[in-house]
Amino acid sequence: LSSLSTSNLGETSVKASFSVTNNGGEAVSDSYIDIFTDSGLTNKVGTISSASGTFTGLDAGRSYWIRGNAANSAGRVYTNTVSITTSWTNPGAPSGLSISSQYGADNLYYGNFTLKWNAGSAGSTAVAGYRLRIYKNGTEVAMIDTESTATTYTFNATTYNFAIGDTLSFGLYTYSKNYSGEKKFNGGGSSSAQVKSGTVTMSADKLISVSPN
């Protein structure tokens, strides 16, 4: 048999082929190509019943091992094993980050604040959620994986002990999940890929004091 070769590798498919170079004078009775998810070739997840064909429905970003074989009356012979990894596309970044207070223009230090954004785009798989980082005076005080496609998050400022004069901002990543449930972030999760909001400053109640004459 010739060496097994692969081509047209994508996120969920790959073409594989080999040829019979010498049949020993006996006709080939069958040819197969098998694909496995382990290098020991024990977990077979697909078969092509010929010496050439395309595997489809593969998991994006996963490694596979492929081996061909053919048989005639003299027995069965196997090709070399080829390892491939399907491609993966990270999700797109969110945009349009904003912060609003339940008190409108008054960012009262004890109020509820709603963080809003525009959804990130899907990559190889659908968006699974957002990684949210809340900052007080530029220091991270919380990291939350939302596990939801919702594009708002509300919390009370007292949860993180905000005080008058403190600043609030947040950073955000989109994430999706691969075949094993591992989270994959926009920009690969690098610090430079984090999308950041502007800041708001915590204020006090606007009270008027009077004294008796």
Side-chain angles (χ1 to χ4, degrees):
L1 304 182
S2 68
S3 294
L4 180 79
S5 64
T6 60
S7 60
N8 300 334
L9 177 62
E11 291 187 349
T12 60
S13 62
V14 64
K15 182 179 180 180
S17 62
F18 70 94
S19 61
V20 177
T21 55
N22 186 350
N23 63 12
E26 297 288 338
V28 175
S29 57
D30 58 61
S31 299
Y32 297 98
I33 306 174
D34 299 316
I35 188 167
F36 306 82
T37 57
D38 65 305
S39 60
L41 309 183
T42 59
N43 187 32
K44 183 165 65 174
V45 293
T47 297
I48 295 170
S49 299
S50 70
S52 179
T54 299
F55 291 103
T56 60
L58 306 179
D59 293 321
R62 186 168 192 170
S63 293
Y64 293 89
W65 288 260
I66 304 172
R67 184 178 67 174
N69 65 88
N72 61 14
S73 60
R76 186 168 297 278
V77 180
Y78 293 87
T79 69
N80 59 308
T81 300
V82 173
S83 174
I84 59 100
T85 299
T86 52
S87 57
W88 171 270
T89 302
N90 288 322
S95 62
L97 281 61
S98 66
I99 304 172
S100 60
S101 166
Q102 73 177 104
Y103 297 108
D106 295 324
N107 301 311
L108 300 184
Y109 69 95
Y110 53 78
N112 290 332
F113 287 82
T114 298
L115 314 179
K116 300 179 181 179
W117 58 90
N118 298 323
S121 58
S124 293
T125 59
V127 172
Y130 297 89
R131 173 161 290 180
L132 175 68
R133 287 189 160 112
I134 297 175
Y135 296 93
K136 180 170 72 173
N137 301 323
T139 299
E140 183 179 306
V141 293
M143 184 180 75
I144 301 143
D145 286 349
T146 66
E147 291 293 292
S148 167
T149 57
T151 55
T152 63
Y153 183 83
T154 299
F155 70 99
N156 188 274
T158 60
T159 303
Y160 305 111
N161 300 312
F162 278 90
I164 299 168
D166 285 340
T167 61
L168 163 66
S169 62
F170 74 104
L172 201 65
Y173 295 93
T174 308
Y175 65 83
S176 56
K177 295 182 180 180
N178 68 4
Y179 66 93
S180 66
E182 179 185 1
K183 294 172 184 173
K184 298 289 188 176
F185 298 89
N186 64 275
S190 67
S191 57
S192 61
Q194 180 180 213
V195 182
K196 296 181 179 180
S197 73
T199 62
V200 299
T201 301
M202 298 295 168
S203 60
D205 289 315
K206 295 178 180 177
L207 302 177
I208 298 176
S209 297
V210 298
S211 59
N213 291 328

